[in-house]
Amino acid sequence: MLAIRSQFSNHFNDSPALVVKSPGRINLIGEHTDYNHGFVLPAAIDKFIEVAIGKRTDGAIHMVALDLGETIILPIDNLRPHTTQWVNYIIGVVDQVLTNTEIPTLVNETKLAAGFNICVQGNIPLGAGLSSSAALECAVLFAINELYQLSLTKMEMALMAQTAEHKFAGVQCGPMDMFASLHGQKNKAILLDCDSLAFTYYPIELKDYSIVLFDTQIKHALATSEYNTRRLECEQGLKIIQEKYGSVKTFRDVSLEQVEECLGSIIHLINHNVEDKNILDSRIKVYQRCKYVVEEIERVQLAVQDLAKGDMQAFGKKMFQTHEGLSKLYEVSCPELDFLVNEVTPNKNVLGARMMGGGFGGCTINIIKKTAVEEITKELSAKYNQAMHKELTIYSTSIEEGTHLVL
Ligand code: GLA
């Protein structure tokens, strides 16, 4: 990649005021739990989005995506979701700065209305489930925060970026990706309590093992709609449980017994005169989703205990269990992801493997003995190619610092 400062100067005939780097993320365990008030264990990685920004005075935003060779210019007032998705990640957070009324330091904020120039580039593979979109949102917001001295905290920025994703990109995501991109620390994973938003850093010392990502090179089109449907199904299940147990506020208060009792039994449905096959089917799905969520919330809490004890064998087993749940109960996997996990499961040099992120494509995350990585990746690539007629892409990642200024 060419230095972003000189690219900015070439485009705008001016030096950028500042440059910000924001990383993608992996997630060790805790999938589809962030919007269900559970726990997640992500970490920022060595793949990033970089933005260079400078002020304008004419109320316009000039956006250049260097990797795509695209430029889009928009007036900053009256921002609406755009047909070009990368643009939405930028204007979504700009809209948050201009319209968010919940953050006191933003009330009466008008300086940003003068507009800005921005260049974007990065090396996070798109559609791989490594949160390139969150990295872009966080990079832009962090840059605006610095440029206009808005005094936003990282957590405020994470939540603003999450809202931007809901409003401008149409994904009803949880806070994990933005949180991880902003809060990352070198060689540490972060346990985020998605209910209280409290978080704890856990050193990741894998010694003889390394984290390897296998990219299916697939992104199924239904990823967004199915993601939003999962969220609704969980909300539906929670509501049914709450009807019986008034004290339940979120999935954090729900036990597996309650899931079984309120959602598990078909008899229960028949007792409530539910005879329609479609309704029965959708109720079974709601049961499966909630069962997975409650199990996964518990699993993450146990997994961090494994991590604290340095018991990576036990940790890895839980990753396999998570995959099983995501595939069979939550139904967000796909044949390609299942193939990659199933192939490595019997291998003693693989401590754990599972699909990562929203699902329906993207990567699996694997903990593999360093000395075996080469052989495993070689074999798996050949098998994947034969079975799926696709090239497998392999990323070995390191855990790095979160969003920061590039001096
Ligand atoms: C996507 C979303 C996250 C999270 C994961 C699944 O990455 O953006 O908020 O829900 O899927 O864990």
Side-chain angles (χ1 to χ4, degrees):
M1 289 193 290
L2 260 179
I4 198 163
R5 282 178 203 279
S6 48
Q7 301 247 43
F8 184 98
S9 303
N10 291 346
H11 272 274
F12 297 113
N13 211 12
D14 193 11
S15 308
L18 50 96
V19 173
V20 170
K21 227 178 186 181
S22 198
R25 63 101 191 92
I26 51 171
N27 184 24
L28 292 166
I29 198 158
E31 218 63 89
H32 286 275
T33 40
D34 61 348
Y35 55 87
N36 284 315
H37 298 260
F39 296 94
V40 290
L41 191 62
I45 56 169
D46 55 342
K47 305 203 182 314
F48 56 85
I49 297 280
E50 213 174 17
V51 300
I53 195 166
K55 290 181 183 175
R56 295 184 66 88
T57 52
D58 60 355
I61 318 175
H62 286 229
M63 296 166 273
V64 185
L66 294 166
D67 303 322
L68 306 174
E70 287 174 20
T71 300
I72 304 266
I73 301 173
L74 291 174
I76 199 164
D77 55 343
N78 201 21
L79 291 170
R80 292 273 172 274
H82 197 266
T83 46
T84 306
Q85 192 66 317
W86 66 264
V87 169
N88 284 323
Y89 303 130
I90 300 177
I91 62 176
V93 294
V94 171
D95 173 72
Q96 270 298 292
V97 175
L98 296 172
T99 63
N100 191 309
T101 51
E102 278 159 31
I103 299 177
T105 48
L106 287 181
V107 175
N108 302 327
E109 166 50 39
T110 52
K111 291 169 284 185
L112 177 62
F116 60 91
N117 295 324
I118 190 164
C119 282
V120 179
Q121 69 178 7
N123 62 6
I124 307 175
L126 303 180
L130 300 178
S131 297
S132 54
S133 57
L136 175 53
E137 288 156 348
C138 294
V140 175
L141 198 44
F142 194 96
I144 290 173
N145 186 46
E146 289 292 321
L147 194 60
Y148 295 100
Q149 301 285 302
L150 302 181
S151 308
L152 294 167
T153 65
K154 286 184 180 177
M155 192 58 90
E156 284 171 340
M157 288 192 263
L159 299 178
M160 287 166 73
Q162 182 193 1
T163 308
E165 183 98 15
H166 292 185
K167 285 173 73 177
F168 279 73
V171 184
Q172 300 301 312
C173 65
M176 170 171 73
D177 305 345
M178 302 76 185
F179 166 82
S181 187
L182 284 156
H183 291 81
Q185 279 188 10
K186 191 157 177 65
N187 293 333
K188 286 179 187 157
I190 328 167
L191 176 70
L192 173 67
D193 176 334
C194 300
D195 193 34
S196 68
L197 297 180
F199 56 94
T200 317
Y201 288 95
Y202 280 80
I204 300 293
E205 287 151 9
L206 293 174
K207 297 189 185 109
D208 298 340
Y209 288 86
S210 54
I211 295 171
V212 182
L213 307 176
F214 295 126
D215 186 350
T216 58
Q217 295 284 331
I218 300 266
K219 188 79 201 169
H220 291 289
L222 37 69
T224 300
S225 62
E226 287 293 316
Y227 184 96
N228 293 343
T229 305
R230 291 302 171 281
R231 193 170 175 148
L232 289 175
E233 287 166 343
C234 291
E235 280 168 13
Q236 230 178 307
L238 187 65
K239 222 165 149 197
I240 295 172
I241 296 168
Q242 284 167 333
E243 277 164 20
K244 174 93 201 258
Y245 292 97
S247 63
V248 165
K249 291 207 172 60
T250 71
F251 272 105
R252 286 289 278 288
D253 312 319
V254 178
S255 67
L256 268 185
E257 291 72 30
Q258 289 170 332
V259 172
E260 292 299 336
E261 183 195 336
C262 301
L263 305 165
S265 128
I266 302 274
I267 309 278
H268 167 87
L269 298 176
I270 294 167
N271 285 345
H272 283 73
N273 301 323
V274 179
E275 282 160 9
D276 183 308
K277 167 128 182 25
N278 289 336
I279 296 180
L280 275 177
D281 283 353
S282 82
R283 277 298 189 85
I284 291 167
K285 282 187 182 162
V286 166
Y287 160 66
Q288 291 179 339
R289 310 309 186 228
C290 295
K291 181 170 156 62
Y292 165 77
V293 168
V294 172
E295 284 177 349
E296 181 74 349
I297 290 176
E298 165 88 18
R299 198 154 35 229
V300 182
Q301 287 167 285
L302 295 173
V304 288
Q305 289 176 21
D306 298 337
L307 205 59
K309 283 187 269 174
D311 187 350
M312 291 314 289
Q313 298 270 356
F315 188 93
K317 271 195 194 136
K318 295 190 175 62
M319 291 172 73
F320 284 124
Q321 290 165 4
T322 294
H323 184 80
E324 182 80 4
L326 287 167
S327 179
K328 306 267 165 56
L329 295 175
Y330 217 67
E331 298 181 291
V332 290
S333 189
C334 61
E336 295 85 355
L337 287 166
D338 286 344
F339 180 88
L340 292 177
V341 172
N342 291 339
E343 284 297 321
V344 299
T345 303
N347 193 319
K348 290 285 161 281
N349 289 319
V350 181
L351 292 186
R354 60 176 199 83
M355 57 147 281
M356 190 180 70
F360 302 102
C363 289
T364 63
I365 176 167
N366 305 258
I367 300 185
I368 305 182
K369 194 157 200 177
K370 280 184 182 146
T371 50
V373 169
E374 198 180 323
E375 196 187 323
I376 290 173
T377 52
K378 209 168 134 199
E379 260 180 41
L380 191 62
S381 299
K383 285 186 182 163
Y384 185 71
N385 189 269
Q386 199 181 22
M388 301 293 167
H389 311 290
K390 279 255 158 206
E391 290 298 323
L392 186 68
T393 310
I394 296 110
Y395 315 115
S396 52
T397 52
S398 58
I399 298 181
E400 300 293 337
E401 153 187 29
T403 317
H404 58 277
L405 275 178
V406 181
L407 300 171

